[in-house]
Amino acid sequence: MALEITESRPLGKPIKRKEDARFVRGQGRYLDDIKLPDMLYLALVRSPYAHARITRIDTSRAQALPGVRLVLTGEDLAKMNLAWMPTLAGDQQMVLATGKVLFQYQEVAAVVADSRALAEDGAQLVEVEYDPLPAVVDPFWALSPQAPVLREDREEASNRIFHWEVGDLDGTERALRDAATVVTERIRMPRVHPAPLEPCGCIADYNAARGHLTWYVTSQAPHAHRTVLAMVAGLPEHKIHVISPDIGGGFGNKVPVFPGYVAAIVASISLNRPVKWIEARTENLTSTNFARDYHMEVALGADRDGRVTALRVSTVADHGAFDAAADPTKFPAGLFSIVTGSYDFPVAYAAVDGVYTNKAPGGVAYRCSFRVTEASFLIERAMNTLALRLNMDPAELRQRNFIAPERFPYQSPLGWTYDSGHYAATLQKALDIVDYPALRREQAERRARGELMGIGLSTFTEIVGAGPSSTFDILGIKMFDSCEIRVHPTGKVIARLGTRHQGQGHETTFAQVIAEELGLTTDDVLIEEGDTDTAPYGLGTYASRSTPLAGGAAALAARRVRDKAKKIAAHLLEVDEAEVEWDGQNFVAMGAPDRSVTMPAVALAAYTNLPHGMEPGLEATYYYDPPNLTFPNGAYVAVVDIDKGTGAVTVRRFVAVDDCGTVINPMVVDGQIHGGLTEGFAIAFMQEIPFDEDGNCLAPNFMDYLVPTAVETPHWETGRTVTPSPHHPIGAKGVGESPNVGSPAAFANAVIDALSPLGVTNIDIPLFPWKVWEVLREHGVAE
Amino acid sequence: MFPNAFDYAAPTSLDEAVDLLSRYGDDAKVLAGGQSLLPMMKLRLAAPAWVIDINRVPELDGRRESDDALILGALTRHSAIEWDRDLDADYPLLRETAALIADPLVRNRGTVAGSLAHADPAADWAACLMALGASVTARGPQGDRLIPVEDLLVDTLTTSLELDEIITGVTVPRPAGRAAAKSLKLERKVGDFAVVGVSLQVEVGSGGAVSRVGIGLAAVGPTALRAREAEAVLMGRPLGPEVIREAAALAAAAADPASDRRGSAAYKRDVVRVFVERGLTAVQHRLADGQALGA
Ligand SMILES: Cc1cc2nc3c(=O)[nH]c(=O)nc-3n(C[C@H](O)[C@H](O)[C@H](O)COP(=O)(O)OP(=O)(O)OC[C@H]3O[C@@H](n4cnc5c(N)ncnc54)[C@H](O)[C@@H]3O)c2cc1C
């Protein structure tokens, strides 16, 4: 029996997640659970070299293997004009390589066979001869005139993809010259991977008789994928049915379109049979995207009182072989310009240079609203360096520079209008929870005994909910989102949205929003997402945009339903519509509180007993184009102890106070925070995808790319302040990404705080024990 | 992540298993817990034509004790040791080590003998069983032979077993005096192989002087290593800070680690020093507190 959740007025309550009943029983339906009759399997042949010319491909042995149905190469795709595909970032990417390969594990050929194992056997039999070329691994070298130009398909003979800048360079330089103190630091955010538990995959099922493609795909943005497919493959959009089934984590990994998808579709069209392609773990880590990989250089100027007078940032962004970042089209460096963070800086300048190297393509927004984690990490680390230089407590430095509550809506020097926040109060709450003065006293005592204890702060501001149509589009499509609500005769609701959850809890939280607006319970509302034939058009779930956009659409669509319901209620109450009030649960006749009707009663009347001339039914759709973005924020405090013998760091405490505006479901919010903090912890301490000088990927599996378990994961303490967004229909801001954005700097700052008596101001993450040990040895500290 | 095609045999007696191995030789692989063999096959790093599953061979199950030793059947799982508190009385190092291996899933399947046969230098059992002076019994067409663990491990992923030999059991000698033990492992996360592992056991005579000591090192050489010189310096002396520091330095010198993404050679060597010092200090306290065999 399903859990019944009958609570009324559900908004803000810790209602158990409706979707968990199936997930915890193993009854979800993920891509790889789907098996269609006559289905074939596709495996990819991948390049062992990071940079090489392909001199010969011989598929004959693979083709001769019994059970192999089709072998595709780039030359085959070129005949269909599909050897290359456009990326969301306006670049193009090879589907199957022609001419040369540009990264290790690049897709070179596809083999389709009766079983997955046979497809792998066939792939092993494809013979490819390569003529290796020198690999360009270092993005700084890539920018030098001596470096070989990697992309021969582009007109521009350079490895620079773009130069992007924002702010007032002259003003910033002047302010830096005049500053009493200037600190500079090189801050590296290494290449990491979202590594969702479920890798990427699809089943393409083309029916030649109907000229119709059903495409099951692990997609965070099924509608956008359908449109892209219609544009690329030339299939009519209404004859493409995209189904994004249950998704086992996305974190940005499942926004782009991948070569394996295109190969599976081509194979299905060629063979008129369903074709499944799903990645193995190594394929996921090595080819379908990465995140971060920013080399940043920062300068902060400050006056004698510690007020920051200017910020300058320059960044080299390693995008790999193709710019397959999933940023909104006008933002090649995403929303990196949120880099002034929670602070009221008079002037700032930021520049980013995107660079091609012989590495896997990507630059996805791993649980962040497009380069916001990079920006947040940079400013929070830089504020730490400044505090050290000024010999000022890092909490005090932040309090002196915060945007004051009365300054909202706040115009940032890099062009954003922050909606709301009370940064000082949020930080104070976090400091109260950890008892900051007591921690600093304890630290002083331990230091006196030679022990290494550190306290790190991060007081970040995010920018999420992309975004207003004036600014945001992907390939021209405005970044609105949508909700369609149908109330059936017995008062039960099916609501469909243009987003696609991957673990965020939409089936519960959006049900709460709609139930709240309609006076129903969460159990009365079924949420459906991910099917392009049924759901209204929307841009999908990433960048913490679901609640700011689809959540807004849900509330506004529900209010449209309520507007009509009110008319029907007036009819039932036999009063004028103006005499009807909504008390949050019922329609009540003004001045006669004993005379009321419920929403289910109104719903029944919508099909059985309508006012004369009214259109039957009770439903509404809303396409929500937000007036602005939302700006969630938080104050995080990490407390660490360092083992002098091994360099291992133990996170003793971690307090996260988040302000995401109105909280729809505090338990779901806590769950999002816990998950994101765990990812942030991994990024700070154990994750990195490095390459050797030949461009070989050194973390191609979970033995080398570490994902923390419950054992390593620290205990998380959460708290909240609530500063609603003034422009969002229910005041909500989005929260899923805050912990990933905010926490890495808190961890790093804590470790650096512990080591600061040695004069240490920076160590690059991930903070492996050996790195900390090396710093300790350099400074003569040993057990 | 999909192995090459292979044939599968599940013998129900030891003779049958040895027969199959002699027949297929190089083309065959014994399957015990599968926790090392199957990942290698899935990555297509190993592609045996025949997989000989020994899990149904009754002679390889269980364990027995004699007056002077414990004999573990080849199919003894890591978890069977982890959860057997009775072992602590005579064999305190075994549970210490078992609990540090991988994660519960791997420990439920993986076998002690399989770990030795796989000969991964970072494996935990090899260092532990070397420290204890254990041996394996190998059965081949010519019968049984006893191989000390130190002689079994020849090089990385290489043992002195013949292609047609199966390990049938592991013999762990019983301590003669009061013993206490400690295993330390630096890992990057649970389920990770050791960055550095140290397993040590100390026996003391009536006067408190060290009468036997074994110090095994994992992940700091082409095979697990025994820190002989460190052991020698402890023999005949009571444990104390000074001799412990001396032994720790000698153990670090015995380590022969490689630099890799888990750390530099210098780092790993220093962690050996730190761990041997911590381990011996813990053992000293345990012996003093009477938390030891014969106390
Ligand atoms: C995720 C993961 C993490 C791990 N972490 C650790 C760790 O931290 N520490 C650690 O020590 N180990 C670790 N392991 C390895 C684990 O302990 C294995 O169980 C062990 O190495 C092999 O034992 P097995 O019984 O599974 O052997 P199998 O995988 O079945 O076999 C391994 C090899 O030994 C041979 N073999 C097996 N039994 C015999 C026999 N009786 N006679 C002759 N040859 C035989 C096989 O032919 C094969 O070549 C890990 C494994 C995994 C999958």
Side-chain angles (χ1 to χ4, degrees):
Chain A
M1 249 220 14
L3 279 173
E4 290 293 311
I5 302 146
T6 51
E7 201 146 6
S8 54
R9 302 304 303 267
L11 194 79
K13 294 188 177 154
I15 286 168
K16 291 209 174 80
R17 300 203 327 166
K18 295 171 67 163
E19 46 270 74
D20 286 347
R22 69 175 189 280
F23 290 146
V24 300
R25 290 172 182 155
Q27 287 172 7
R29 184 170 178 256
Y30 298 93
L31 193 276
D32 210 24
D33 294 324
I34 301 171
K35 290 183 177 62
L36 302 180
D38 286 335
M39 189 167 78
L40 301 171
Y41 297 80
L42 184 145
L44 291 168
V45 177
R46 293 173 179 278
S47 169
Y49 295 103
H51 195 197
R53 262 186 219 293
I54 298 174
T55 54
R56 192 179 72 100
I57 301 183
D58 183 350
T59 62
S60 55
R61 286 182 63 214
Q63 255 152 346
L65 185 73
V68 167
R69 305 284 163 175
L70 179 72
V71 182
L72 288 171
T73 64
E75 298 297 334
D76 300 327
L77 295 183
K79 288 178 205 138
M80 305 172 214
N81 206 18
L82 282 173
W84 293 75
M85 63 177 186
T87 70
L88 296 177
D91 194 359
Q92 59 169 357
Q93 176 176 357
M94 283 190 232
V95 176
L96 297 176
T98 48
K100 66 177 192 171
V101 289
L102 287 162
F103 67 96
Q104 191 194 26
Y105 293 102
Q106 186 176 336
E107 303 80 0
V108 175
V111 177
V112 182
D114 290 349
S115 73
R116 174 73 189 263
L118 273 174
E120 300 283 347
D121 288 349
Q124 235 176 1
L125 293 175
V126 173
E127 290 166 25
V128 188
E129 276 173 21
Y130 297 94
D131 189 1
L133 298 167
V136 176
V137 178
D138 177 356
F140 293 93
W141 163 242
L143 284 175
S144 85
Q146 292 85 41
V149 174
L150 299 179
R151 289 286 300 276
E152 292 164 349
D153 58 303
R154 291 170 88 234
E155 268 171 35
E156 213 178 322
S158 158
N159 293 324
R160 190 188 309 273
I161 310 169
F162 61 82
H163 172 81
W164 171 89
E165 59 178 37
V166 63
D168 174 359
L169 179 57
D170 292 343
T172 301
E173 296 293 0
R174 224 173 305 124
L176 287 174
R177 269 197 304 277
D178 296 344
T181 307
V182 176
V183 292
T184 59
E185 197 83 79
R186 277 170 195 273
I187 308 280
R188 168 95 174 104
M189 233 191 166
R191 182 174 275 237
V192 295
H193 198 283
L197 271 188
E198 180 203 33
C200 302
C202 76
I203 301 169
D205 183 12
Y206 185 71
N207 182 312
R210 292 166 59 216
H212 183 277
L213 174 71
T214 308
W215 192 35
Y216 303 84
V217 60
T218 53
S219 172
Q220 296 177 234
H223 300 274
H225 279 173
R226 184 182 54 165
T227 302
V228 169
L229 199 58
M231 289 171 166
V232 174
L235 294 166
E237 194 166 3
H238 64 300
K239 292 191 169 180
I240 305 172
H241 180 189
V242 179
I243 299 170
S244 178
D246 283 331
I247 298 190
F251 312 115
N253 196 181
K254 292 169 181 167
V255 175
V257 171
F258 299 114
Y261 293 172
V262 178
I265 291 168
V266 170
S268 179
I269 292 173
S270 310
L271 297 166
N272 199 27
R273 285 176 70 175
V275 174
K276 180 188 276 188
W277 171 70
I278 186 156
E279 295 176 311
R281 178 61 57 192
T282 293
E283 299 183 279
N284 180 250
L285 289 173
T286 56
S287 70
T288 48
N289 273 307
F290 70 90
R292 325 287 185 236
D293 218 346
Y294 262 33
H295 301 255
M296 302 175 279
E297 223 180 304
V298 58
L300 266 183
D303 67 17
R304 265 169 244 293
D305 300 325
R307 281 197 188 75
V308 173
T309 53
L311 165 72
R312 186 190 63 210
V313 186
S314 55
T315 298
V316 169
D318 187 340
H319 280 248
F322 309 98
D323 187 4
D327 296 325
T329 301
K330 294 192 187 76
F331 296 88
L335 308 185
F336 188 70
S337 48
I338 193 67
V339 69
T340 54
S342 308
Y343 312 108
D344 193 354
F345 297 162
V347 64
Y349 169 84
V352 178
D353 285 283
V355 180
Y356 291 122
T357 58
N358 288 121
K359 297 177 197 161
V364 288
Y366 170 19
R367 206 168 182 156
C368 97
S369 185
F370 317 114
R371 305 299 189 181
V372 174
T373 305
E374 290 88 327
S376 167
F377 187 69
L378 178 89
I379 188 61
E380 292 306 314
R381 286 284 306 105
M383 289 299 275
N384 202 63
T385 303
L386 180 61
L388 287 172
R389 170 69 69 82
L390 296 171
N391 202 14
M392 185 182 285
D393 186 285
E396 174 61 26
L397 178 70
R398 285 173 166 81
Q399 295 285 17
R400 286 189 193 187
N401 284 285
F402 278 147
I403 300 160
E406 60 276 10
R407 299 265 280 135
F408 289 94
Y410 168 80
Q411 208 57 49
S412 87
L414 298 183
W416 300 111
T417 307
Y418 290 30
D419 58 349
S420 65
H422 199 318
Y423 302 146
T426 307
L427 173 57
Q428 194 53 53
K429 184 156 187 179
L431 297 180
D432 290 347
I433 293 173
V434 287
D435 195 351
Y436 189 65
L439 280 178
R440 286 288 177 203
R441 280 195 299 275
E442 181 193 339
Q443 183 183 40
E445 287 161 18
R446 285 183 186 272
R447 275 185 183 161
R449 292 201 296 269
E451 294 172 23
L452 300 171
M453 165 187 169
I455 306 160
L457 303 184
S458 171
T459 52
F460 63 96
T461 289
E462 275 186 287
I463 174 169
V464 309
S469 59
S470 54
T471 324
F472 289 95
D473 67 86
I474 287 186
L475 300 176
I477 298 166
K478 303 295 186 186
M479 293 183 71
F480 57 83
D481 226 293
S482 61
C483 176
E484 178 213 79
I485 297 175
R486 295 185 181 176
V487 188
H488 300 283
T490 59
K492 304 296 179 192
V493 176
I494 295 181
R496 302 190 172 102
L497 301 97
T499 43
R500 202 325 155 214
H501 65 91
Q502 316 121 38
Q504 291 90 340
H506 291 182
E507 292 176 33
T508 310
T509 50
F510 289 158
Q512 284 177 264
V513 170
I514 291 167
E516 177 76 21
E517 296 286 342
L518 296 181
L520 299 171
T521 73
T522 314
D523 254 1
D524 297 328
V525 183
L526 179 71
I527 300 291
E528 290 185 357
E529 297 180 334
D531 185 322
T532 54
D533 272 12
T534 58
Y537 203 99
L539 272 274
T541 295
Y542 41 86
S544 285
R545 66 189 298 283
S546 297
T547 293
L549 291 154
L556 294 172
R559 286 173 201 170
R560 276 191 177 154
V561 167
R562 213 167 64 203
D563 287 346
K564 178 171 183 184
K566 193 175 183 189
K567 293 187 171 57
I568 300 171
H571 165 70
L572 294 178
L573 293 166
E574 298 176 319
V575 296
D576 204 63
E577 191 190 337
E579 311 272 291
V580 177
E581 266 181 336
W582 173 251
D583 72 357
Q585 254 181 297
N586 301 295
F587 292 105
V588 188
M590 253 180 223
D594 55 322
R595 296 191 56 226
S596 68
V597 286
T598 63
M599 187 60 78
V602 169
L604 189 62
Y607 296 86
T608 60
N609 174 18
L610 283 161
H612 183 69
M614 186 183 279
E615 188 184 343
L618 189 57
E619 54 185 70
T621 304
Y622 204 105
Y623 285 79
Y624 181 59
D625 177 10
N628 189 8
L629 297 119
T630 62
F631 295 76
N633 53 84
Y636 292 175
V637 186
V639 185
V640 303
D641 298 295
I642 297 178
D643 178 335
K644 282 193 285 191
T646 62
V649 179
T650 308
V651 178
R652 189 204 306 180
R653 282 188 76 182
F654 195 97
V655 171
V657 176
D658 276 279
D659 192 334
C660 58
T662 302
V663 173
I664 298 168
N665 181 327
M667 190 183 67
V668 168
V669 168
D670 276 345
Q672 292 291 299
I673 299 295
H674 285 200
L677 290 177
T678 305
E679 288 176 336
F681 166 75
I683 289 166
F685 290 109
M686 51 175 81
Q687 292 182 337
E688 172 182 33
I689 301 193
F691 294 80
D692 69 13
E693 63 273 23
D694 297 322
N696 295 308
C697 177
L698 300 180
N701 54 49
F702 277 167
M703 293 289 274
D704 297 302
Y705 190 74
L706 304 180
V707 177
T709 71
V711 178
E712 298 77 48
T713 302
H715 174 71
W716 309 119
E717 300 171 60
T718 59
R720 264 185 286 284
T721 54
V722 176
T723 318
S725 171
H727 64 74
H728 185 269
I730 62 166
K733 290 187 165 186
V735 74
E737 302 176 330
S738 303
N740 191 314
V741 168
S743 67
F747 294 114
N749 285 344
V751 171
I752 290 161
D753 183 57
L755 302 175
S756 60
L758 307 174
V760 175
T761 63
N762 186 41
I763 313 179
D764 287 340
I765 56 170
L767 298 161
F768 290 123
W770 62 264
K771 270 196 206 172
V772 176
W773 178 91
E774 277 177 4
V775 171
L776 291 172
R777 287 307 171 274
E778 272 166 33
H779 292 87
V781 180
E783 174 174 304
Chain B
M1 281 295 135
F2 291 81
N4 296 76
F6 58 87
D7 281 309
Y8 170 86
T12 51
S13 75
L14 193 50
D15 287 345
E16 199 189 335
V18 172
D19 260 8
L20 286 163
L21 273 188
S22 339
R23 192 167 341 143
Y24 297 118
D26 216 359
D27 289 336
K29 272 278 175 197
V30 167
L31 173 73
Q35 298 305 297
S36 295
L37 181 60
L38 296 189
M40 304 249 297
M41 288 171 63
K42 285 181 166 187
L43 292 168
R44 298 194 167 194
L45 296 172
W50 279 89
V51 169
I52 316 290
D53 182 348
I54 57 171
N55 284 280
R56 292 175 206 173
V57 175
E59 296 99 309
L60 301 179
D61 254 333
R63 68 163 184 256
R64 26 188 202 89
E65 275 190 78
S66 68
D67 285 347
D68 55 0
L70 170 73
I71 297 135
L72 302 168
L75 289 174
T76 304
R77 314 279 162 181
H78 310 332
S79 59
I81 292 176
E82 179 188 4
W83 294 106
D84 191 346
R85 287 173 202 284
D86 292 346
L87 288 173
D88 284 350
D90 288 349
Y91 303 99
L93 190 60
L94 293 180
R95 271 184 4 106
E96 281 261 343
T97 303
L100 297 177
I101 298 172
D103 55 37
L105 286 74
V106 172
R107 295 201 291 272
N108 284 338
R109 299 292 310 160
T111 64
V112 180
S115 176
L116 292 174
H118 187 55
D120 186 323
D124 297 298
W125 280 127
C128 160
L129 292 168
M130 264 191 191
L132 296 177
S135 310
V136 301
T137 303
R139 165 79 61 90
Q142 269 74 50
D144 284 346
R145 65 182 178 120
L146 197 68
I147 314 170
V149 171
E150 277 181 88
D151 299 339
L152 176 74
L153 304 173
V154 175
D155 203 343
T156 301
L157 305 185
T158 309
T159 66
S160 57
L161 286 179
E162 299 298 330
L163 282 175
D164 51 9
E165 279 183 318
I166 291 179
I167 297 177
T168 58
V170 181
T171 303
V172 185
R174 181 191 298 276
R178 290 198 313 135
K182 183 77 187 164
S183 247
L184 297 102
K185 177 174 177 180
L186 179 66
E187 55 186 3
R188 300 169 304 174
K189 59 168 276 196
V190 157
D192 189 21
F193 279 92
V195 176
V196 170
V198 170
S199 277
L200 50 86
Q201 178 160 308
V202 178
E203 292 169 35
V204 290
S206 48
V210 173
S211 55
R212 187 192 172 280
V213 52
I215 301 176
L217 310 179
V220 290
T223 66
L225 302 175
R226 196 162 164 186
R228 291 274 184 200
E229 288 178 29
E231 292 171 10
V233 81
L234 292 164
M235 283 299 285
R237 293 163 73 178
L239 289 179
E242 207 166 305
V243 68
I244 286 177
R245 263 199 303 277
E246 229 177 296
L250 287 168
D256 180 21
S259 295
D260 59 20
R261 292 193 55 227
R262 291 158 194 254
S264 65
Y267 171 65
K268 293 177 187 179
R269 191 173 285 120
D270 198 49
V271 174
V272 169
R273 177 186 65 79
V274 169
F275 276 6
V276 170
E277 190 170 328
R278 287 181 188 176
L280 288 172
T281 307
V283 161
Q284 184 195 349
H285 292 312
R286 283 180 186 183
L287 287 166
D289 293 348
Q291 291 178 23
L293 158 70

